[in-house]
Amino acid sequence: MNTALIHIRREFWEHRSLWVAPAIWVGLITLMFTYTIFAVIPNHIGKDGIVIEPDKQTMSQLSENDRKDVEKTIAEAREHHHQPTAEEKDTFFAFSYLASTAVVTLFTIIVVFFYLIDCLYAERRDRSILFWKSLPISDAQVVLSKLAVALVIVPFGAILVAGVMQLVIAVMVWLRFHGTPMWVELPEWSLLAWFKSMVVSLVVGLGGVLWCAPVAGYLLLASSWARKNVFLWAVLPPVALCALEGFFLHSTQVLQFIGWRLFGFVKLLHLNPSALNVGTHDSKEDLPHITDVMSQLDMSGLFTNMDVWAGVAVAAALVFVAIRLRRYRDDS
């Protein structure tokens, strides 16, 4: 266990972009939300159909007829204004969390991509591999620790960081709007909605890790094999196959396969599109209830589909080859 922790700490020490880049990205998102909450939204209060309570001092300065006209106008606006229910507020909060999580994880995927193609190549480039090979540490331990960092620690860490970011944003919203008329229009903090959105994010994250494992194995193999220009060696083969197929066969089977291997796991969640109310927004409610989405989410497809385990088997074979290459490379 201590050896595994040392390997993991080594990865974050040698590849600081694994935590520095996501931290900067999360900081920028938080700053943008801060600016929106404290500067943009207050400047638009009273617009876009938001009903605001009249100021008592201003009302006292109006004549009786003007005051009655203002009260009548406000009453009519309230009558036609849709007050969000508690479930709608929970739904808005949950989907705002899912959206912020998606923004963080998509950026993290880019960071992980560059980490995978560089992690085994960089130790040969700077000759640090000679030091690590002098220690009683196996090549399998080194490669598997890199795979664990890329597929487990960083992706699920990004989901947790997104959850913390959402809590910070919720606190800022409470500090700025609590006790104001705007508060009734905004989603309140809900532990249940936060938990449901966390479950959805973790389920989708687990599906993505299992489904994209062969992609990670391929990138590790390219990193252990390439002598230079590892990015080109990782990206050029699939791009060349797509171009050659399109030129000679006038088809896009390879491109479709790559897209399916990257994003096809979403279909395995068996999420009924009707749960998202696609094209059925007959009411003022723009978002489906998070409870409906959760009830439709089915993880069994992730564990019963043969494509998932075939991909895991391919990933294991690719990682095994990467381990052997690291052990016997003559430039090590």
Side-chain angles (χ1 to χ4, degrees):
M1 187 63 180
N2 292 333
T3 303
L5 291 176
I6 291 174
H7 284 303
I8 292 173
R9 291 178 61 183
R10 171 206 172 184
E11 296 307 313
F12 285 96
W13 175 62
E14 292 185 348
H15 303 273
R16 290 186 172 86
S17 60
L18 285 174
W19 61 272
V20 173
I24 294 175
W25 182 242
V26 170
L28 291 175
I29 296 174
T30 305
L31 287 176
M32 292 176 63
F33 270 105
T34 303
Y35 175 75
T36 302
I37 292 169
F38 289 93
V40 176
I41 294 180
N43 292 333
H44 289 80
I45 290 180
K47 301 179 182 180
D48 302 324
I50 298 176
V51 181
I52 302 298
E53 293 287 343
D55 182 68
K56 292 183 178 180
Q57 182 178 0
T58 303
M59 292 290 289
S60 63
Q61 297 175 356
L62 299 177
S63 63
E64 184 176 356
N65 292 334
D66 291 339
R67 186 165 57 251
K68 289 181 178 180
D69 291 339
V70 171
E71 292 175 350
K72 181 180 179 181
T73 301
I74 293 175
E76 292 176 352
R78 284 184 182 145
E79 183 179 352
H80 294 88
H81 181 65
H82 174 68
Q83 292 291 338
T85 64
E87 188 172 5
E88 291 172 356
K89 287 184 176 183
D90 287 352
T91 295
F92 183 88
F93 181 88
F95 277 92
S96 66
Y97 170 78
L98 292 175
S100 60
T101 302
V103 173
V104 174
T105 52
L106 287 175
F107 180 83
T108 305
I109 289 173
I110 298 175
V111 175
V112 168
F113 168 80
F114 284 101
Y115 164 74
L116 284 171
I117 65 174
D118 184 65
C119 59
L120 292 174
Y121 169 74
E123 64 178 9
R124 301 198 317 274
R125 180 185 57 207
D126 59 17
R127 313 301 291 176
S128 63
I129 189 174
L130 299 176
F131 168 75
W132 293 104
K133 278 184 173 292
S134 66
L135 301 177
I137 299 173
S138 67
D139 297 278
Q141 288 177 312
V142 173
V143 176
L144 291 177
S145 66
K146 296 177 184 296
L147 187 67
V149 167
L151 292 185
V152 179
I153 297 177
V154 175
F156 290 103
I159 294 175
L160 296 178
V161 169
V164 175
M165 181 184 70
Q166 185 70 16
L167 295 179
V168 173
I169 294 172
V171 170
M172 289 191 296
V173 170
W174 185 87
L175 291 174
R176 178 61 183 84
F177 298 108
H178 183 69
T180 67
M182 188 68 181
W183 183 248
V184 299
E185 303 290 337
L186 296 174
E188 301 179 19
W189 160 250
S190 170
L191 179 61
L192 181 60
W194 182 83
F195 177 75
K196 289 179 178 179
S197 56
M198 280 287 293
V199 171
V200 173
S201 299
L202 292 173
V203 168
V204 175
L206 177 61
V209 166
L210 290 175
W211 187 259
C212 296
V215 179
Y218 166 76
L219 295 177
L220 278 176
L221 177 61
S223 182
S224 65
W225 180 78
R227 295 180 183 273
K228 58 173 62 176
N229 298 326
V230 61
F231 177 80
L232 291 180
W233 282 112
V235 175
L236 197 57
V239 172
L241 285 175
C242 293
L244 291 174
E245 182 195 12
F247 182 79
F248 289 103
L249 303 179
H250 305 289
S251 62
T252 59
Q253 295 297 321
V254 175
L255 183 62
Q256 292 177 14
F257 173 79
I258 294 174
W260 170 75
R261 194 71 247 182
L262 292 176
F263 308 106
F265 73 94
V266 177
K267 294 182 179 180
L268 301 182
L269 298 176
H270 296 162
L271 180 60
N272 191 336
S274 63
L276 299 177
N277 292 333
V278 178
T280 61
H281 293 196
D282 297 328
S283 64
K284 295 181 180 180
E285 185 182 344
D286 293 327
L287 291 174
H289 288 163
I290 189 63
T291 304
D292 297 334
V293 177
M294 282 292 298
S295 64
Q296 293 290 336
L297 201 61
D298 181 15
M299 277 196 53
S300 63
L302 292 175
F303 301 102
T304 58
N305 189 280
M306 289 302 299
D307 292 333
V308 174
W309 300 112
V312 172
V314 171
L318 293 173
V319 171
F320 175 78
V321 176
I323 293 172
R324 304 297 290 185
L325 283 174
R326 185 183 188 272
R327 180 176 300 174
Y328 296 113
R329 283 300 301 262
D330 56 358
D331 59 348
S332 297

